[in-house]
Amino acid sequence: MDAISKTERRKQSLSVVLSTYGPGLLVTAAVAMAAQFLSEHYGAPAMLMALLLGIAFHFLAEEGRCVAGIELSAKLVLRIGVALLGMRISVDLLIGLGGGTILLLVSAIVATILFGLVAARLLGRGWRLALLTSGAVAICGASAAMAIAAVLPRNEFSERNLIFTVLSVTVLSTLAMIGYPIVAEYLGLDGQATGIFFGGTIHDVAQVVGAGFSVSPEAGETATLVKLIRVTMLAPVVLIFSLVLRGVPQEGASIGKRAPLVPGFVLAFLVLAGFNSAGLVPVLASEVGMAISRWALLAGIVAVGMKTSLRRVLEVGGDAVALVVAETLFIAVFILAGMYYLGHS
């Protein structure tokens, strides 16, 4: 009887999981296949097609049975895809970036946060919004926004600021994914320089990957590595914010749950990259892993597109939008200037 009851409970649990996440996962998978079809038959980048098709189905992410599955695709499925990219990364690529590039990334993060504080003051916005938006722009978009919000002192605008920041960096990342490849081509950047530009400036991991691989495999791999170097800076930045702001009074508890020091998908990426560098990843395993990664990224970026609302981003006010746009342009100019100083072209 116990064995039968356990089996029934497992079946019921599986049924609940499938009914909760299944519709959204199937929708994102179907749209991803459509994007791949369009890419193969019309020569358009699959990532770009996935994003644009996802935006067209934005209504599915607002309410209904697909919401949970779309959310899962935009987070877990996407991160699995990024983690598996580690199978194509080696220490040789990291060495190829050089200490100068890594120093440039760290400098860009610090400079962008300081710029955000100054710009917010000039625009008449508070320092909380400045730290939230500049940290999100400088590090890793929505993930950074949620992590930083967890340590910022709470006030009556905390939730609104967090929602605005997540929406705005998502929209700007989407626009950057479409526009920055054009900028890179206009500037005549090679594959590695293009990857450094994308990875050092685009806010969210999904759009970095999409922009990079829409140009070339080299640009995609470099962009992913550069972006993940930025992501690892989330831990020290959040820690510094927490220590500096410890004495600032707040209203109620902090927003959300504290993020891990280093996201799990980053650790997985680094572990796989280490295995690949040591020659421990068989060719067949690498090919299978990259195939899974490609489809996971397509489905994930479809979900990101579905979650992107171009309308709600304007609800907070024009000065707040101007702040995030200014921070985005600042880090782009800073990275490009640093690249030219370091001789990347």
Side-chain angles (χ1 to χ4, degrees), residues 246-271:
R246 178 175 294 178
V248 178
Q250 57 181 323
E251 303 171 9
S254 60
I255 300 174
K257 183 174 68 175
R258 294 182 187 272
L261 289 180
V262 181
F265 74 97
V266 176
L267 290 176
F269 178 96
L270 295 175
V271 168

Side-chain angles (χ1 to χ4, degrees), residues 117-136:
L117 288 169
V118 174
R121 186 175 182 85
L122 294 175
L123 291 170
R125 303 303 301 229
W127 58 267
R128 288 178 175 85
L129 180 64
L131 291 179
L132 196 58
T133 57
S134 63

